[in-house]
Amino acid sequence: MSYQEKTAPPAGPTLVAAIVLVFLLLAAMYESWRLPWAVLLGSPLVVLGAFFGVWLTGYDNNVYVQIGNIMLIGLAAKNAILIVEFAKAKHEGGHGRPGGGAGVGRLRFRPILMTAFAFILGVVPLMKAAGAGAGAQNVMGTAVFWGMLVATALGVFLIPGNFSVRRVGWGAGRSPRGWRAAAGARTIPRGRALR
C-alpha cells in the first residue's frame, strides 16, 4: 500500500455529501421530496454493472474504476431525469394512471437508447487500447462500458416503475381527477366562482 493510500481520507463521507447535494438539487427542481428517489435509485445499477464488468475481465477495483463510476452515475441520472421529467409533465397534464411511467418509458425509449449506445460504443476504443497508458484506459473503459450497458438495460424498465411508485403511490389506481370522480365529489370548472 502506498503512502498516499495510507494517508488519504476515506471516500465515504464525500460520496454521501455528493448524494445529499444531488438529492437536494433534484428536490428543488421537481418541488417534491419523493420524485428525486426515482432518479437516484437508478444509480446502484451503474455501480453494479461497472463492478460486474471489472470482475468479469479480471481487473482490480482501482482509482480509474472509481472515476468511471462517478461519470456513470451522472450519465445514469441524466437518463433517469429524461424519463422522470417527461412523466411528471404528462402526469401534471392529467394523463396520470398506474401504467403512466411505463407509457413514458416507451415514449422515451429510443432517445435514451440512442444516447446510451453512442456512449457505450464510444468507449470501446478505451477497452481495446494498446500502448502507453493502456492499462488505465482498459480498466476505465471496461468499467464504463459494462456500467452503462447494465444501467441502460435495466434502468429503462426500473426507472418508470420507480416514478409510478414514488409519484402515484402503491395501489393508487387513478389520477387526482379520477379520485375525485370515484369519490362522487363535484368538480368545479375553472373560471366559475362558488355560489
Side-chain angles (χ1 to χ4, degrees):
M1 183 175 272
S2 69
Y3 176 74
Q4 286 84 7
E5 289 175 321
K6 292 177 184 174
T7 60
T14 305
L15 184 63
V16 169
I19 290 171
V20 168
L21 179 66
V22 169
F23 176 81
L24 292 175
L25 288 172
L26 289 171
M29 184 173 84
Y30 292 132
E31 298 176 353
S32 168
W33 291 107
R34 295 170 74 186
L35 279 183
W37 290 110
V39 173
L40 291 177
L41 289 176
S43 297
L45 296 175
V46 174
V47 177
L48 177 73
F51 286 141
F52 174 72
V54 168
W55 171 78
L56 190 67
T57 54
Y59 291 122
D60 294 340
N61 176 16
N62 57 22
V63 71
Y64 298 110
V65 174
Q66 294 171 10
I67 291 170
N69 279 336
I70 291 170
M71 182 172 54
L72 284 171
I73 288 170
L75 287 168
K78 175 198 62 94
N79 286 345
I81 287 171
L82 283 174
I83 294 172
V84 169
E85 190 70 31
F86 195 70
K88 182 178 180 247
K90 285 281 200 187
H91 187 76
E92 289 175 349
H95 300 288
R97 57 189 174 85
V104 168
R106 191 171 48 252
L107 288 173
R108 303 303 295 168
F109 185 70
R110 197 171 80 196
I112 288 171
L113 282 187
M114 287 184 343
T115 58
F117 278 107
F119 178 79
I120 289 168
L121 294 175
V123 299
V124 169
L126 278 176
M127 290 177 61
K128 302 295 182 188
Q137 293 173 4
N138 296 147
V139 172
M140 183 181 278
T142 301
V144 170
F145 177 87
W146 283 96
M148 196 64 185
L149 190 66
V150 169
T152 302
L154 296 178
V156 169
F157 302 108
L158 294 178
I159 291 168
N162 283 343
F163 171 79
S164 295
V165 169
R166 295 289 164 214
R167 182 66 173 180
V168 179
W170 290 102
R174 298 183 180 95
S175 68
R177 292 179 187 166
W179 293 329
R180 278 188 239 124
R186 187 173 147 236
T187 58
I188 300 170
R190 292 184 181 179
R192 289 192 176 172
L194 292 174
R195 297 178 190 204

